[in-house]
Amino acid sequence: MPNVPRIAVTGASGFLARAVIARLTAIGLPCIAVSRRSGPGLHQVADYTDTPAADILIHLAEESDRAKANLLGEAYLEHAATVVEKLSERASTFVYASSGVVYGDAGATPFGTDACVEATDVYSRSKIRNEALALSAGGTVLRLSNLFGVGMSPCNVVSDIARQLGRMAPLVVRYDGPVRDFLSVNEAANVIGLLAQTPQPGIFNIGSGLGVSIRELALLALRAVKQQNREIVVAHPSGRRSVNILDISDTKRCLGWGGTYSPLDSLENYFRNGVPLDI
């Protein structure tokens, strides 16, 4: 029987990390759940630079709120890079969670991993810098799309729409034109589980490969709860084109990954029942 690798996951109390830990455990890969918080089953650290060494170290602990990271400024940028440098030295395989935002939002077609990246703010600069650090250490970079599911941040468009369901008033969205790529958090965890079983260096897009506009998202949500007649109000109308969709063909080919449910079905089930359709 092969040896089970020692796996550490940072940010263990966070949205994505909880799903990843559950997935790894389900496929027989127990892991060290590293967090700055205390709690049952958590390995608490004062700083993520204190994360224990591991065969596979999956770093999911960075600030997920883009606005907050931007407010923290250069101090955030420098500390995040220090953590990545330290952790990449402590693992045979280092996996870094980046974001599809590094591609910008001017895509005429889905972004492949060879597309140019754009450092437009502290958050994206940090992701691009840390990607380079991870890759230079022979690691794996995950460019994640917009993840949704139980326990996600209240500060995103899926959460905002979900909060308004069941009311009689018009459903309000800030913008309705942007097109984004949405994926269930448990489907993303499935991909990370595949990588843990067969580690591969390089960059992987993790998304649905499907673009959904914010208006389409709102209409889907209203259909899910049978409120199709409710008005949709756009708080800040804009004609600016904004598209960010990930090309996931390489990820599917390299990992043998194929989602069980369509992202639209999973989103509709989330709006109707409070949970996405999962693998």
Side-chain angles (χ1 to χ4, degrees), residues 15-240:
F15 173 52
L16 174 57
R18 290 197 303 270
V20 169
I21 291 167
R23 181 60 183 165
L24 292 175
T25 302
I27 60 177
L29 295 175
C31 50
I32 305 166
V34 184
S35 177
R36 288 183 298 185
R37 298 181 181 180
S38 62
L42 297 179
H43 179 96
Q44 187 178 16
V45 293
D47 188 274
Y48 285 113
T49 55
D50 300 325
T51 297
D55 298 311
I56 301 172
L57 200 159
I58 304 171
H59 184 37
L60 307 178
E62 287 189 346
E63 178 58 61
S64 60
D65 186 326
R66 188 173 184 175
K68 186 175 179 180
N70 289 335
L71 285 174
L72 293 170
E74 294 297 319
Y76 171 79
L77 188 85
E78 294 304 321
H79 182 68
T82 297
V83 172
V84 168
E85 287 179 318
K86 296 288 186 183
L87 297 189
S88 64
E89 296 170 354
R90 295 186 180 176
S92 301
T93 298
F94 178 65
V95 180
Y96 173 68
S98 185
S99 169
V101 303
V102 300
Y103 294 120
D105 66 348
T109 58
F111 291 106
T113 56
D114 58 349
C116 294
V117 294
E118 299 181 6
T120 57
D121 57 7
V122 168
Y123 182 84
S124 55
R125 282 171 57 204
S126 178
K127 290 298 186 187
I128 292 169
R129 178 178 179 180
N130 293 346
E131 284 188 2
L133 291 171
L135 293 171
S136 68
T140 302
V141 167
L142 312 177
R143 289 179 177 164
L144 298 157
S145 68
N146 298 269
L147 304 182
F148 68 94
V150 178
M152 66 183 165
S153 167
C155 304
N156 64 51
V157 66
V158 176
S159 293
D160 188 46
I161 289 173
R163 276 194 300 271
Q164 298 180 65
L165 298 180
R167 304 177 186 175
M168 298 301 294
L171 191 152
V172 180
V173 294
R174 291 188 66 190
Y175 311 99
D176 67 341
V179 175
R180 295 293 182 265
D181 186 322
F182 297 93
L183 185 72
S184 160
V185 67
N186 288 344
E187 192 67 76
N190 181 38
V191 182
I192 296 172
L194 292 172
L195 275 166
Q197 293 173 85
T198 311
Q200 299 186 47
I203 302 172
F204 292 88
N205 282 339
I206 300 182
S208 69
L210 176 69
V212 180
S213 75
I214 304 307
R215 175 165 288 274
E216 289 170 335
L217 187 68
L219 289 169
L220 183 150
L222 293 178
R223 183 174 72 243
V225 295
K226 297 181 170 47
Q227 293 186 325
Q228 293 95 320
N229 293 329
R230 274 181 70 186
E231 180 185 4
I232 297 172
V233 173
V234 182
H236 303 285
S238 171
R240 178 179 173 273

Side-chain angles (χ1 to χ4, degrees), residues 252-271:
K252 288 187 169 184
R253 176 179 53 81
C254 292
L255 301 180
W257 167 55
T260 305
Y261 300 103
S262 80
L264 292 181
D265 288 344
S266 198
L267 275 164
E268 186 167 354
N269 200 70
Y270 178 80
F271 287 126

